[in-house]
């Protein structure tokens, strides 16, 4: 998922965020699991899923402890029951029930993520920085621009990013750009020049240099490898 390999075992939960590139291994047809898919905003007011779970670079796989696993199982069983009981309620009421139960499940998942030993807890500065990067990473890669827009110093953003992700603020921004730059060659049809323009590079040469510094290869070579050519 997003070019990181994850091995799943019984009882694991995998959090897949909107826009992430997925590639499933050959064992999927024999897998026994449940997929819960819902569109952004389905739960109405944003549930407390936690900034770490929302961050593109956060660990995606969760193996909950016994208490969290029991709470998740009960929430999931109730969701499945109501999902299958479509004819027992008016449609509007049915959808409202599902919205609440999906919110309960995501809150449960967020709490289980936070309960894992060593899980970082981002502060308000990082939460705002992360949201700004998600919005503007195609516009600017300068930490100073984000600091000025958010009213923080560069040092504050660097410390916040380091505590939450283990990366400096500059590296966090560049990593987000690289992630987007890798998604398009893997599954899109745009040329390197088109991707460079969309990501805010002056020309395809600057983009290729940036991409090579981060990945050790060119966008064209990465596309061939990612697609198994």
């Amino acid at each position: 998922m997003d070019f990181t390999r994850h091995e799943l075992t019984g009882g694991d939960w995998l959090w897949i965020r909107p826009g992430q590139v997925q590639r499933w291994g050959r064992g999927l047809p024999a897998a026994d699991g449940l997929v819960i898919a819902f569109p952004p905003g389905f739960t109405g007011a944003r549930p407390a899923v936690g900034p770490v779970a929302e961050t593109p670079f956060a660990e995606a796989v969760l193996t909950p402890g016994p208490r969290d696993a029991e709470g998740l199982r009960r929430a999931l069983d109730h969701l499945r029951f109501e999902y299958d009981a479509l004819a027992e309620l008016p449609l509007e009421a049915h959808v409202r029930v599902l919205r609440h139960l999906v919110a309960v499940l995501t809150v449960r998942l967020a709490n289980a993520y936070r309960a894992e030993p060593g899980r970082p807890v981002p502060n308000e500065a990082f939460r705002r920085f992360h949201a700004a990067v998600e919005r503007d990473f195609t516009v600017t890669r300068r930490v100073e621009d984000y600091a000025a827009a958010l009213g923080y110093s560069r040092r504050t953003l660097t410390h916040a990013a380091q505590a939450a992700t283990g990366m400096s603020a500059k590296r966090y921004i560049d990593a987000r750009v690289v992630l987007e730059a890798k998604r398009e060659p893997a599954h899109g049809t745009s040329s390197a020049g088109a991707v460079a323009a969309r990501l805010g590079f002056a020309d395809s040469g600057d983009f290729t240099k940036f991409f090579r510094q981060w990945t050790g290869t060119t966008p064209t070579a990465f596309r061939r490898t990612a697609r198994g050519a």
Side-chain angles (χ1 to χ4, degrees):
M1 190 169 68
D2 271 340
F3 318 104
T4 298
R5 182 180 178 86
H6 300 282
E7 296 286 347
L8 304 177
T9 59
D12 285 347
W13 290 75
L14 177 66
W15 188 292
I16 302 175
R17 303 166 187 86
Q20 289 191 300
V21 174
Q22 306 164 41
R23 177 171 293 171
W24 297 85
R26 295 179 180 178
L28 183 61
D32 180 13
L34 184 67
V35 176
I36 306 164
F38 53 94
F42 178 73
T43 58
R46 175 180 170 272
V49 293
V52 172
E54 295 167 350
T55 305
F57 313 111
E59 185 63 39
V61 179
L62 169 69
T63 305
R67 288 292 298 172
D68 286 317
E70 178 64 13
L72 286 166
R73 184 190 66 77
R74 290 176 180 244
L76 181 59
D77 286 347
H78 194 177
L79 177 61
R80 292 184 68 176
F81 173 83
E82 295 292 352
Y83 182 82
D84 291 335
L86 173 61
E88 297 180 14
L89 291 172
L91 180 59
E92 182 179 351
H94 176 74
V95 173
R96 191 182 309 122
V97 167
L98 295 184
R99 289 182 191 276
H100 286 298
L101 291 176
V102 170
V104 169
L105 186 63
T106 56
V107 171
R108 277 279 183 187
L109 279 169
N111 287 334
Y113 270 91
R114 295 190 189 102
E116 285 198 326
R119 181 77 65 180
V121 180
N123 61 19
E124 179 64 18
F126 177 75
R127 286 194 287 270
R128 295 183 63 202
F129 176 56
H130 162 66
V133 171
E134 287 298 299
R135 184 183 64 243
D136 296 331
F137 71 88
T138 63
V139 178
T140 178
R141 299 190 300 279
R142 287 168 37 89
V143 179
E144 292 83 357
D145 292 340
Y146 291 97
L150 297 173
Y152 294 117
S153 68
R154 178 189 176 107
R155 183 177 181 180
T156 296
L157 290 186
T158 294
H159 286 172
Q162 187 74 40
T165 68
M167 299 184 242
S168 69
K170 173 58 176 171
R171 189 170 181 83
Y172 182 84
I173 297 166
D174 286 348
R176 183 63 184 90
V177 175
V178 170
L179 175 58
E180 202 67 25
K182 291 166 71 175
R183 286 171 172 172
E184 181 63 33
H187 287 274
T189 58
S190 299
S191 65
V195 175
R198 185 167 68 83
L199 294 179
F201 289 86
D203 54 51
S204 58
D206 285 345
F207 171 64
T208 298
K209 180 180 179 181
F210 175 85
F211 193 92
R212 187 192 291 274
Q213 287 176 338
W214 269 84
T215 67
T217 187
T218 66
T220 301
F222 182 83
R223 183 191 296 268
R224 287 197 299 264
T225 302
R227 299 189 179 194

